[in-house]
Each structure stands twice: as C-alpha cells, then as structure tokens.
C-alpha cells in the first residue's frame, strides 16, 4: 500500500469515527430530553391525581371512580368541595351532584370540582366595562 493510500484510509476512518461520535451524542441528548419530559409528565399527573373513597369504608381508596368491593357503594371524590359535580367523560351533558353511572353508556361519572366546571354564561356575573 502506498503512502498516499494509507493517509486516505486513515482520513476515511477518522471521518467515520467523527460522524459516529456526533450521532451518538445526538442520541444521548435526545434520550435525556425524553427523560426530562417524562419526569415532568409524572410530576404533573401526581399533582392532578384524584382519590376516590367509599363513604362507609374510608380505608377503600382508588384513583378513579368505581364501586366499593366491600359494600358496593359508589366511591366519591375524597375531600370534594361543595359544588362538585359528577360528569360522564363521554357525555359531558350528563351531570349530577352524586356519583353514579351515565344512563347513556354506563361509564362511571367523574368528579369535577367547581373550578373545573365553570358556571354557564347566563349564571356568571356580568363583566364590568372598561
């Protein structure tokens, strides 16, 4: 092999290693970014997690509406503020003051606090003009 060919081979190998190293760094950075996003999503979910409890068996809790396995009573949102409504996730027009099931699809109604279900426009106080 001539000197000229040797340098060409060395340069090609160096270029290939440089390209591979850059691609590897991009993959690591992308993976770290995905990890940060996942961590933020987990923290956000923990902040918004709701706990449902049986009124008769306070030790029975879960993170979604359902039925108490001991007595069959519907679980209610723990510490629900006054004005909490229970709404069907598939039929938002189905709303009631107590937990239950949607008459249209039989899904459990999900608790919505007053902040989550604003009053209809007719019931909201008028805005002051500026």
């Amino acid at each position: 092999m001539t000197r000229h060919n040797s340098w060409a081979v060395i340069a090609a190998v160096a270029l290939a290693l440089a390209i591979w190293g850059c691609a590897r760094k991009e993959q690591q950075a992308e993976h770290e970014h995905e990890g940060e996003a996942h961590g933020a999503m987990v923290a956000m979910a923990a902040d918004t997690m709701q706990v449902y409890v049986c009124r008769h068996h306070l030790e029975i809790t879960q993170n979604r509406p359902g039925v108490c396995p001991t007595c069959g009573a519907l679980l209610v949102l723990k510490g629900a503020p006054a004005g909490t409504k229970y709404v069907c996730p598939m039929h938002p027009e189905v709303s009631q003051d107590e937990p239950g099931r949607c008459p249209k699809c039989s899904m459990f109604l999900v608790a919505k606090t007053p902040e989550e279900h604003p009053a209809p426009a007719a019931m909201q106080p008028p805005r002051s003009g500026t």
Side-chain angles (χ1 to χ4, degrees):
M1 193 186 279
T2 65
R3 269 187 156 169
H4 184 63
N5 288 342
S6 301
W7 286 109
V9 169
I10 290 172
V13 169
L15 181 62
L17 288 174
I19 291 172
W20 178 76
C22 287
R24 183 114 168 107
K25 284 182 184 177
E26 282 182 19
Q27 286 176 342
Q28 287 175 343
E30 199 173 287
H31 180 70
E32 288 172 6
H33 178 69
E34 288 173 356
E36 291 170 4
H38 177 71
M41 286 172 44
V42 168
M44 187 171 59
D47 288 344
T48 60
M49 184 180 293
Q50 296 179 326
V51 177
Y52 290 82
V53 62
C54 175
R55 291 180 182 173
H56 310 289
H57 303 95
L58 299 177
E59 70 279 4
I60 305 292
T61 61
Q62 62 185 42
N63 63 353
R64 62 187 185 285
V67 176
C68 174
T70 304
C71 67
L74 293 171
L75 303 179
V76 295
L77 184 63
K78 184 176 183 177
T84 298
K85 297 283 186 185
Y86 291 84
V87 181
C88 176
M90 295 299 294
H91 303 99
E93 69 276 7
V94 175
S95 172
Q96 59 189 42
D97 295 332
E98 294 292 320
R101 289 185 177 258
C102 175
K104 294 181 179 181
C105 66
S106 297
M107 289 182 69
F108 285 109
L109 302 179
V110 177
K112 297 287 182 189
T113 60
E115 298 85 36
E116 294 174 324
H117 65 85
M123 297 182 70
Q124 291 180 352
R127 293 185 183 183
S128 60
T130 49

